[in-house]
Amino acid sequence: MVRVCTLPFRLMAVDYGADLIYTEETIDFKMIRSIRRDNEALGTVDFIDKSDGTVFFRTCDKERNKVVFQLGTSNAQRALEVGKMVEPYVAGLDVNMGCPKEFSIKGGMGAALLTQPEKVKSILTTLVQGLSIPVTCKIRLLPTLEETIKLCKIIEECQVAAIAIHGRTRVERPNHPNHNDMIKEIAQVLTIPVIANGGSKEISCYEDIDKFRNECGAASVMLARSAMWNCSILRPEGYLPLETVIETYLRYCIQYDNPFTYSKYAVQNMLRELQDTIRGKAFLETQTLQEICAIWYLDDFFKSELTRQNQARKSINFEVKNGKTALPPSADHVKIEKREEDGQIVVEMPIQFIRGNFNNADLPKMLLNTHIFRNELDGPHYSHSVVDKFFSASVVVDGVKYASTLREKSKRYSEQGAATVCLHALELVGKTYGFSPAEGARKYQHILNTNANVKRQSNESNIQDVKVEKEADWKKRKVETSNVKQTNEVSQEENYR
């Protein structure tokens, strides 16, 4: 659930009935080097990565009694240090001992701990004795039932509050069957609660959750993918339309300033095969949270929240001096600053190069090169620096140095960012250049926005809007696709309604 289980998704899960909600796994080193800050504008507590200024853990009072902080660690003392940091803000701490990903294994974390019982005992005992909140852990099955029970007994002796068991081994993947029978065997010999995990393939409605729990003989069930696809599966009353779920999620993303990339990733996992519709394709073109919100007709809500948080956002997002990797919410949040440094005039502003915002003919470096050539100026002279694997670039034009205060993940993009600053400073481009897409840069959003403008003139409900839109999408695709593909897409459309 990396990039999914951020605050907006967790709050939505609480709304739909989750008893406990887990954060995405956070590595101990990252937490230890973080800065904690009370965010009065959002009503949250934020933990910020000092290396790039990004918020990687954000929490609030609404989830305080239900959120479990999931930790990746291989060292008892580092684990306790993190536990002390989050103790006042969470309901419990969970040690991930089941992640099979390579980065976890190489760091001695996750599933690597399954074969190190002494280290498991050291970490869990230290946490239980050193924290006032409940401590749990999550494991995967070992190759045999006997080995797994032996490890679970060691974990039980550490006096943890519960153990979550994913019913697959370290080498097995979601396409392999979940070993519900083995979870049941383990649950019968343990005295602590067992949380059954790994059953998303067999859970398609709320009633299936309890069926899975009974098959595993577990005290409760942990859901990942099935909840990620449609979080309203947690509701005893049944599923809500996917449109409603996405809108609920996006409202929380707006309210709590969720990173665009995380928000897009979560919605993409909700849409799944519906990414092939016109709305889905328009969604895939998005480059900002505001663009996503426009697709779900949340423009007004986004703008009102932006206005409410306007002044606070300026101080919250841009006060980290070492730079960050997130584009400001809009051009209105940007100020060009001019200063002198060792006799050199330096002009800076926070801008990040988003390739999808530009057509091939209006790329920053291309426009800057044309301006320099026509006016016979000196330059451009680019220079770079690398900090924590991120690139910062500057460009000197006619003796003045221009640079973005934001970092990029590539040298090429950092140069485009520096060129953008120069274009803005010289007033060669409009205010929204680089912050909003150029005309024609979004093919499907243009189609969708045209349809939306017509719909907004009517008093139809949101659900009716969706039906009209989906029927229009389907008629268009009937002309473009084969009869076999038409049959498959009809099924998709009916499911989406």
Side-chain angles (χ1 to χ4, degrees), residues 159 162 202 273 285 447:
Q159 298 183 5
E202 52 197 282
E273 69 273 4
E285 290 179 334
I447 297 173

Side-chain angles (χ1 to χ4, degrees), residues 246-257 289-290 293-294 296-309 313 456:
I246 293 176
E247 181 180 333
T248 299
Y249 173 70
L250 289 175
R251 285 180 180 274
Y252 275 131
C253 288
I254 297 167
Q255 288 176 294
Y256 290 101
D257 197 18
L289 181 58
Q290 185 171 8
C293 292
W296 271 271
Y297 315 132
L298 292 171
D299 315 57
D300 293 340
F301 182 74
F302 182 92
K303 291 173 183 176
S304 65
E305 278 295 301
L306 199 63
T307 300
R308 184 181 69 82
Q309 300 172 12
R313 280 178 184 267
R456 283 170 179 162

Side-chain angles (χ1 to χ4, degrees), residues 446-463:
H446 173 72
I447 297 173
L448 197 64
N449 290 339
T450 300
N451 293 341
N453 289 334
V454 174
K455 289 172 189 172
R456 283 170 179 162
Q457 296 174 7
S458 72
N459 292 321
E460 294 177 331
S461 68
N462 186 51
I463 294 177

